[in-house]
Amino acid sequence: NAGVTQTPKFQVLKTGQSMTLQCAQDMNHEYMSWYRQDPGMGLRLIHYSVGAGITDQGEVPNGYNVSRSTTEDFPLRLLSAAPSQTSVYFCASSSTGTVNQPQHFGDGTRLSIL
Amino acid sequence: AQKITQTQPGMFVQEKEAVTLDCTYDTSDPSYGLFWYKQPSSGEMIFLIYQGSYDQQNATEGRYSLNFQKARKSANLVISASQLGDSAMYFCAMNSDYKLSFGAGTTVTVRA
């Protein structure tokens, strides 16, 4: 079972460049989400989606863009990368996102902005 | 905004002993879910245990149990019979209104 797949695993960008972090899940989950993890801190929610065509902002949405055209995919776009966006990014999914469902996480993307 | 507090940055525990990781939360929502995740040094996030806000009994999953005290807004994780493989970072998290909020985590080191 693939579960939640994130690509790439590592990426180095220059300030001002744009890129897309890919996330795909094969569990037919309606709910998908993106988090960032910085040293000494827990994961913080960037954006989430409760189904195809529906997205919403989390705690730290600035500088990031998302769309959800299919149930399977939830890409995260960095519009103009900044050093403050250096972090480990996790994508997660659950069946419907309701309070009783644990989220399944991908293995993460380690992103460095120079 | 939801707030999750884990006051223990790091803990050491002897192999085969039990350890309790503290977690307090703050929310005004009546319906929420509390979770514990394990993050080993390899970096993946592993779901351990869940407790619902309306659950009357404390959750248990194998060697993991959750000490849920709703009035005190605490959800402490107890790991019994610690093993070397339990050495990792542990995160407390709360799901409310489709948003999952995490604490800063507690690093657990199990000594042989």
Side-chain angles (χ1 to χ4, degrees), chain B residues 8-111:
Chain B
Q8 306 152 309
M11 298 186 70
F12 291 94
V13 60
Q14 206 64 30
E15 195 177 12
K16 301 181 184 177
E17 293 186 347
V19 61
T20 298
L21 308 183
D22 295 339
C23 173
T24 58
Y25 60 93
D26 186 24
T27 183
S28 57
D29 292 334
S31 177
Y32 52 89
L34 296 160
F35 301 84
W36 278 90
Y37 285 87
K38 173 183 179 181
Q39 186 176 45
S41 57
S42 50
E44 70 269 30
M45 295 290 289
I46 302 168
F47 164 67
L48 296 178
I49 194 167
Y50 157 79
Q51 179 86 42
S53 59
Y54 295 116
D55 292 343
Q56 296 296 313
Q57 293 194 329
N58 288 339
T60 60
E61 286 287 349
R63 295 186 298 110
Y64 304 107
S65 60
L66 202 153
N67 184 1
F68 180 47
Q69 298 186 48
K70 191 171 182 177
R72 297 181 60 184
K73 294 188 175 179
S74 74
N76 298 341
L77 176 71
V78 180
I79 306 174
S80 62
S82 296
Q83 303 171 356
L84 296 178
D86 294 334
S87 294
M89 177 77 85
Y90 290 81
F91 291 100
C92 179
M94 179 174 67
N95 186 341
S96 177
D97 193 25
Y98 297 101
K99 301 181 189 70
L100 190 64
S101 301
F102 285 81
T106 296
T107 301
V108 172
T109 303
V110 180
R111 290 171 164 159

Side-chain angles (χ1 to χ4, degrees), chain A residues 3-4 25 27 29 33 91-95 101-106, chain B residues 37 45 47:
Chain A
V4 179
Q25 52 90 11
M27 297 173 282
H29 284 171
S33 53
C91 179
S93 74
S94 68
S95 181
Q101 294 174 356
Q103 294 192 23
H104 303 264
F105 285 82
Chain B
Y37 285 87
M45 295 290 289
F47 164 67

Side-chain angles (χ1 to χ4, degrees), chain A residues 8-45:
Chain A
K9 294 190 184 305
F10 303 93
Q11 184 71 46
V12 178
L13 292 179
K14 294 182 179 179
T15 298
Q17 287 185 318
S18 64
M19 82 158 293
T20 300
L21 306 185
Q22 301 291 345
C23 176
Q25 52 90 11
D26 62 358
M27 297 173 282
N28 202 31
H29 284 171
E30 291 295 325
Y31 183 91
M32 297 184 73
S33 53
W34 277 102
Y35 301 83
R36 60 177 288 173
Q37 183 179 23
D38 300 307
M41 302 179 70
L43 280 70
R44 291 183 292 168
L45 181 64

